[in-house]
Amino acid sequence: MKTGETHPSGRGTSGGSVTRSGVTMTLGLCFAVALLEGLDLQSVGVAAPRMAREFGLSVGQMGLAFSAGTFGLLPGAMFGGRLADRIGRKRVLVISACLFGLLSIATALVSDFHTLVIVRVLTGIGLGGALPNLIALSSEAVEPRSRSTAVSVMYCGIPFGGVIASMIGVLSAGDTEWRHIFYVGGAGPLVLVPLLLVFLADSKAFTQASRDGQAKPAPVGEILFGGTRGLSTVQIWVSYFCTLIVLYFLLNWLPSLMAASGLSRAQVGYVQIFFNIGGGIGTLCIGMLMDRMRSGLVVAGMYVGIIASLAALSMAPGF
């Protein structure tokens, strides 16, 4: 049997990919988790004006509430990725989904600002723990030449989750009700967990390393800066930092800024919906281009597009 052919068991030989149904199942489940992660990430921005009225939040307090979840993403991603090297990507993803699902529901139950900040930090830890494992599972499910496309298919779930959050905001009745969006965002991951346990295959790389007795992760410094990776690591850090500044500013503050400028609640929701639709389409297109063109050229073009879009947004006269 040649490398790349499917074994009768359906797993594929060494160096080959899993069956097409297995790839579809893995990417579908990872997309579903990313969808719910995007729903939770953008729920605070959608609910913010109503939360501010109920809790009497100042602009500074709203900023702290927004950043609390983002702050939790950092330790969550670092700890989640490291833990996955020891116990497996699937296990950590299930734990993370349970964590951010339960804490999203807890967000709906808070009664004061300080509790809100604490709960959002913990929610961010769960969200952060899920993301590196979603990327790893998606990229390992396909052949190397298709990895950028596979990751983009998974990752577009995040902006499409934002579409759901925005639609809930548009359809919700009244100017004070905001808790239902967190109930929806919390119930989804908990419903999905049994499906992950039954149908999601674990990382092929982790399974092979465990079988060979090599599951102990390498030192972080070696992973990030070993060989010729140092400059690339710094470049990725800087670009990701700058991109996320723009992204989280738009996700968290754009609804409040638009509402303050006189747009109706429905108009604010529609702008957010189309912002996220554009994000999903962009993710898919850029991922496919990364598999077909020089990555540096694609990324440079992406940043030119970001600058042009922000300039256009700043000059937009109205809805």
Side-chain angles (χ1 to χ4, degrees):
M1 181 176 288
K2 298 178 181 179
T3 298
E5 290 183 345
T6 302
H7 189 273
S9 66
R11 293 186 176 182
T13 62
S14 176
S17 63
V18 296
T19 61
R20 179 172 296 182
S21 61
V23 171
T24 302
M25 180 64 70
T26 296
L27 293 181
L29 289 171
C30 288
F31 172 86
V33 176
L35 187 81
L36 295 167
E37 183 157 348
L39 170 59
D40 188 277
L41 281 171
Q42 299 196 39
S43 292
V44 173
V46 173
R50 301 168 209 184
M51 295 170 68
R53 281 191 289 271
E54 178 170 331
F55 294 135
L57 303 182
S58 65
V59 173
Q61 288 175 317
M62 288 176 64
L64 184 57
F66 290 154
S67 61
T70 309
F71 178 79
L73 291 175
L74 174 61
M78 293 178 64
F79 182 71
R82 199 67 178 160
L83 183 62
D85 287 336
R86 295 183 179 275
I87 68 173
R89 317 263 187 256
K90 176 178 176 178
R91 291 177 182 174
V92 176
L93 181 60
V94 168
I95 293 170
S96 298
C98 289
L99 185 61
F100 78 75
L102 290 171
L103 287 165
S104 181
I105 294 174
T107 303
L109 302 176
V110 300
S111 57
D112 62 89
F113 171 70
H114 298 292
T115 306
L116 173 64
V117 171
I118 294 171
V119 169
R120 292 311 298 172
V121 170
L122 296 175
T123 307
I125 292 175
L127 295 169
L131 189 54
N133 294 293
L134 289 172
I135 294 172
L137 289 166
S138 299
S139 64
E140 292 178 11
V142 298
E143 298 290 346
R145 65 178 181 272
S146 302
R147 282 178 177 171
S148 293
T149 300
V151 172
S152 70
V153 168
M154 176 278 298
Y155 203 88
C156 73
I158 293 180
F160 288 151
V163 172
I164 297 175
S166 300
M167 291 179 64
I168 293 174
V170 170
L171 297 175
S172 60
D175 293 327
T176 58
E177 183 54 50
W178 54 269
R179 289 178 169 82
H180 54 285
I181 193 170
F182 294 103
Y183 286 129
V184 173
L190 300 180
V191 171
L192 191 60
V193 162
L195 300 179
L196 296 175
L197 290 171
V198 175
F199 296 109
L200 182 64
D202 207 342
S203 160
K204 294 183 292 182
F206 175 81
T207 302
Q208 184 64 42
S210 299
R211 187 180 300 119
D212 297 340
Q214 300 174 348
K216 184 178 180 181
V220 175
E222 179 182 336
I223 295 172
L224 297 177
F225 300 103
T228 60
R229 291 190 293 272
L231 179 60
S232 295
T233 294
V234 172
Q235 289 174 323
I236 290 171
W237 278 351
V238 172
S239 63
Y240 212 64
F241 176 82
C242 295
T243 304
L244 289 182
I245 284 178
V246 176
L247 178 61
Y248 285 115
F249 179 83
L250 292 174
L251 292 181
N252 291 325
W253 281 106
L254 195 58
S256 297
L257 293 175
M258 289 188 296
S261 67
L263 270 65
S264 68
R265 186 181 69 202
Q267 289 175 324
V268 171
Y270 290 136
V271 172
Q272 283 294 94
I273 287 171
F274 283 102
F275 171 74
N276 283 292
I277 290 174
I281 294 171
T283 300
L284 288 171
C285 292
I286 289 172
M288 289 186 288
L289 286 174
M290 290 280 283
D291 284 329
R292 292 165 174 79
M293 298 174 59
R294 278 180 48 204
S295 58
L297 186 63
V298 176
V299 173
M302 178 184 71
Y303 279 111
V304 170
I306 291 174
I307 294 169
S309 299
L310 289 175
L313 180 64
S314 68
M315 295 183 290
F319 175 70

